[in-house]
Amino acid sequence: MLSLLDTVIDFAYRLIGAVGSFTGPVAAIVLCTIAVRLLLLPLSVRQATAHKARLRLAPQVAKLRERFARDPERLVRETSKLYAAEGTSMFAGLLPGLAQAPFFMVVYRVFVSATIAGHANLLLAQSALGVPLGEHFAAALASGGLFSAPVLVFAGLFALLAVVAWLTWRRMDDTVAPRALRLLPFGTIVAAAVLPLAAGLYLLVSTAWTAAERAVLYPRPV
């Protein structure tokens, strides 16, 4: 008996397969990833709005922390009042972020699972530029060598992910992420190196969308 998660994953798999029968597998991955990101755009906008509110209130919050450093309960009350006066809360950006996670997990599982709902994942048997979407970089390297067509396809994927990661990294500062986290965008390259090609393509489209989304929703001060 399928769990609720398995049922949702199976539905997503069938939907992507149906789209792919008209557009081809690669276009189906791109279109379905974009569709999910469009669906989640209102949550991203709410998250960005909450982030801007936190930045705007940061100086006042710092003063409250200094004033009520020895009274944590009063600090929480006063900080909550401050955020409430601005029509937001300390945790306003948390819920939209958490709400997006299940969507990403479902789509991700479609592109990495060898079996879905007890059946073989036929999506991974299809190909992109002659390379099966279920192929892994290590397997392609071991079977074809450094300059084989599959390895070159993966190299192109890694290069595109590196460009997106670099663009994301350039826009990051202390207001967006702590210094230790600024290299995280480059982790997509490592992930694509160990995941099936289909998952790598999903990562490329999703991270490119994220980079464009952040450029619009989190404009850098001039």
Side-chain angles (χ1 to χ4, degrees):
M1 184 175 179
L2 295 179
S3 66
L4 178 59
L5 177 59
D6 290 331
T7 300
V8 174
I9 293 172
D10 183 49
F11 172 79
Y13 165 70
R14 293 179 184 276
L15 179 61
I16 293 171
V19 174
S21 65
F22 294 100
T23 65
V26 175
I29 292 174
V30 173
L31 291 174
C32 289
T33 304
I34 291 175
V36 170
R37 298 309 301 262
L38 282 172
L39 179 66
L40 297 175
L41 185 57
L43 294 176
S44 297
V45 172
R46 289 190 61 184
Q47 197 169 20
T49 301
H51 174 76
K52 292 174 184 177
R54 286 197 301 272
L55 291 182
R56 188 171 61 253
L57 297 174
Q60 298 177 61
V61 172
K63 291 180 180 179
L64 288 176
R65 286 175 178 169
E66 182 178 353
R67 181 179 178 185
F68 301 110
R70 298 185 179 182
D71 190 350
E73 293 183 1
R74 179 74 182 277
L75 174 60
V76 171
R77 289 199 304 270
E78 295 298 327
T79 303
S80 297
K81 289 180 182 179
L82 177 63
Y83 278 99
E86 292 289 326
T88 184
S89 73
M90 293 182 287
F91 309 104
L94 183 61
L95 184 58
L98 293 176
Q100 295 179 52
F103 291 89
F104 293 134
M105 181 177 65
V106 167
V107 178
Y108 172 79
R109 284 281 298 274
V110 171
F111 298 137
V112 300
S113 301
T115 60
I116 293 178
H119 303 285
N121 186 348
L122 298 180
L123 175 67
L124 299 183
Q126 301 186 57
S127 62
L129 299 177
V131 182
L133 291 174
E135 182 72 294
H136 289 73
F137 174 67
L141 185 62
S143 61
L146 186 60
F147 298 104
S148 63
V151 169
L152 293 178
V153 169
F154 272 101
L157 173 64
F158 299 157
L160 291 173
L161 285 169
V163 170
V164 173
W166 179 75
L167 291 173
T168 302
W169 171 79
R170 280 194 63 195
R171 294 189 57 83
M172 297 175 76
D173 54 36
D174 288 330
T175 65
V176 175
R179 293 183 180 181
L181 299 181
R182 292 185 194 173
L183 294 179
L184 281 182
F186 294 95
T188 56
I189 305 171
V190 178
V194 299
L195 293 172
L197 178 59
L201 293 173
Y202 162 71
L203 283 176
L204 175 61
V205 178
S206 189
T207 54
W209 178 282
T210 298
E213 190 177 79
R214 295 191 72 87
V216 174
L217 297 179
Y218 299 84
R220 300 181 69 174
V222 294

